[in-house]
Amino acid sequence: MLLPIGNMRRMTIQRVGILGSGIMGSGIAEVAAKAGIDVVLRSRSQESADQMREGLAASLAKQVSREKIQQADADAVLARVTATDHLGDLVDCDLVIKSVVEDLQVKVPLFAELDSICKPEAILATNTSTLPVVEMAVATHRPEKVLGIHFFNPAPAMSLVEVIAPLTASEATVDAAVAFAEACGKRPVKVKDRAGFIVNALLFPYLNNAARMLENGTATAEDIDEAMKGGCNFPMGPLALLDLVGLDTSVAILDALYEEFRDPNYAAVPALRRMVAAGRLGRKTGAGFYDYSR
Ligand SMILES: NC(=O)c1ccc[n+]([C@@H]2O[C@H](COP(=O)([O-])OP(=O)(O)OC[C@H]3O[C@@H](n4cnc5c(N)ncnc54)[C@H](O)[C@@H]3O)[C@@H](O)[C@H]2O)c1
């Protein structure tokens, strides 16, 4: 797979590095490898990097058993993916997508570190849901090559990618990100670097108010979710969606939105914070608004 990067005709995206072995990192790895791009998965430990690759193997095996893909294609996808705990293994990547915890204190130093490791022409992207991309860009010596490429959860199933252009990004970088998203079979939309971009800026007041409604005792979790599915034709209710996103990530998103806009609808309701404190983060820990342990 050869993708021209903007106007730089000789530069191609053949190799993508992904940092972070959480929900989103795994999904983006699957999407890119299926698009024929070599993927380097980097996690903080070799064990979690290997687990991520094994998770991808299991997901591909399931797709083969359901006759969604051929065994030979699954093998080819897996063969494109390597797992490592060394940041240095990202040196040859044309694009690195960082999908680690939603915390600027973690993301900004990682960008500075990536900048010192990756080849100068590489594009550095963040999968942040809300945080200011420009702050990551200016931590590097290549701010024109830094932007947001925001996949949605689950990445293999969701068609949208928001391409977030901070003030510092060049047109060539934005064009390259759009081309990458299209090559991954996604529908990219371009958006300015504002907290929440398009989707989360509109979605999170709704999710937060659903948690508030439950906290107020207006209805049960099941009835709130059932109402929004049956009444609005949404495929999933708001509390089940919070569980899917992860309550820690959701609180981080609300905090970033509140920090930027000071709109009370973005102020995370106390119940969400208490659930995070209790470790009830949603599907990823087996419990959130619903129980996933069985
Ligand atoms: N969950 C969603 O629905 C969703 C959707 C789109 C974008 N995102 C964004 O993707 C990013 C990752 O979210 P996720 O849902 O995959 O989270 P997650 O909790 O599943 O995974 C977080 C990852 O960050 C790593 N990490 C934690 N602290 C770190 C540190 N100090 N240094 C390096 N790595 C560290 C963890 O090991 C883990 O691999 C966030 O920016 C989030 O906002 C999430």
Side-chain angles (χ1 to χ4, degrees):
M1 169 70 51
L2 299 182
L3 293 175
I5 294 190
N7 298 326
M8 295 174 285
R9 294 229 165 269
R10 270 173 293 167
M11 179 65 187
T12 54
I13 294 182
Q14 299 176 70
R15 198 171 172 80
V16 173
I18 293 169
L19 253 82
S21 52
I23 307 173
M24 292 308 294
S26 333
I28 299 167
E30 179 174 337
V31 167
K34 277 186 170 164
I37 298 167
D38 289 336
V39 173
V40 184
L41 291 174
R42 189 271 174 180
S43 188
R44 283 177 296 173
S45 74
Q46 187 64 45
E47 194 189 355
S48 60
D50 289 341
Q51 275 170 2
M52 195 168 160
R53 196 171 178 281
E54 283 155 22
L56 173 59
S59 157
L60 291 168
K62 202 182 281 176
Q63 293 168 48
V64 170
S65 72
R66 291 182 184 161
E67 297 182 353
K68 290 193 170 159
I69 56 171
Q70 304 280 322
Q71 184 64 53
D73 293 333
D75 293 344
V77 169
L78 203 57
R80 278 182 215 115
V81 180
T82 51
T84 182
D85 61 349
H86 293 297
L87 266 183
D89 290 340
L90 301 171
V91 66
D92 291 330
C93 291
D94 307 306
L95 166 68
V96 176
I97 304 175
K98 191 192 42 55
S99 188
V100 303
V101 66
E102 186 76 339
D103 182 347
L104 259 191
Q105 314 284 347
V106 174
K107 291 188 192 270
V108 167
L110 256 182
F111 263 88
E113 206 175 347
L114 276 179
D115 185 41
S116 66
I117 287 162
C118 296
K119 60 185 180 185
E121 61 273 35
I123 292 176
L124 307 181
T126 171
N127 185 46
T128 181
S129 303
T130 37
L131 297 170
V133 181
V134 72
E135 294 201 25
M136 297 172 232
V138 297
T140 73
H141 294 99
R142 61 180 96 190
E144 74 288 355
K145 293 196 178 70
V146 176
L147 83 173
I149 301 182
H150 184 209
F151 283 84
F152 286 76
N153 184 11
M158 302 298 278
S159 62
L160 181 68
V161 167
E162 288 177 329
V163 174
I164 299 115
L167 284 173
T168 42
S170 70
E171 215 172 296
T173 300
V174 174
D175 289 349
V178 167
F180 167 73
E182 285 172 349
C184 288
K186 302 299 181 192
R187 296 179 62 176
V189 295
K190 293 192 222 174
V191 51
K192 278 189 191 169
D193 184 19
R194 295 286 181 279
F197 318 122
I198 298 172
V199 173
N200 286 337
L202 294 174
L203 176 65
F204 269 83
Y206 156 65
L207 298 184
N208 197 33
N209 280 312
R212 193 190 321 277
M213 192 175 264
L214 180 69
E215 191 171 54
N216 290 344
T218 305
T220 63
E222 288 78 5
D223 283 351
I224 291 170
D225 278 355
E226 208 44 55
M228 295 312 291
K229 286 195 287 180
C232 296
N233 219 11
F234 288 173
M236 184 180 261
L239 301 171
L241 181 52
L242 280 164
D243 276 353
L244 177 73
V245 171
L247 300 194
D248 53 341
T249 302
S250 298
V251 168
I253 290 170
L254 285 162
D255 285 349
L257 285 161
Y258 187 74
E259 172 74 20
E260 185 141 310
F261 299 115
R262 303 285 162 182
D263 177 336
N265 282 304
Y266 291 135
V269 299
L272 284 174
R273 285 192 203 283
R274 295 299 182 275
M275 289 172 75
V276 171
R280 296 184 56 152
L281 307 184
R283 286 192 193 202
K284 63 184 163 186
T285 55
F289 290 105
Y290 297 98
D291 184 5
Y292 302 93
S293 58
R294 275 159 284 149

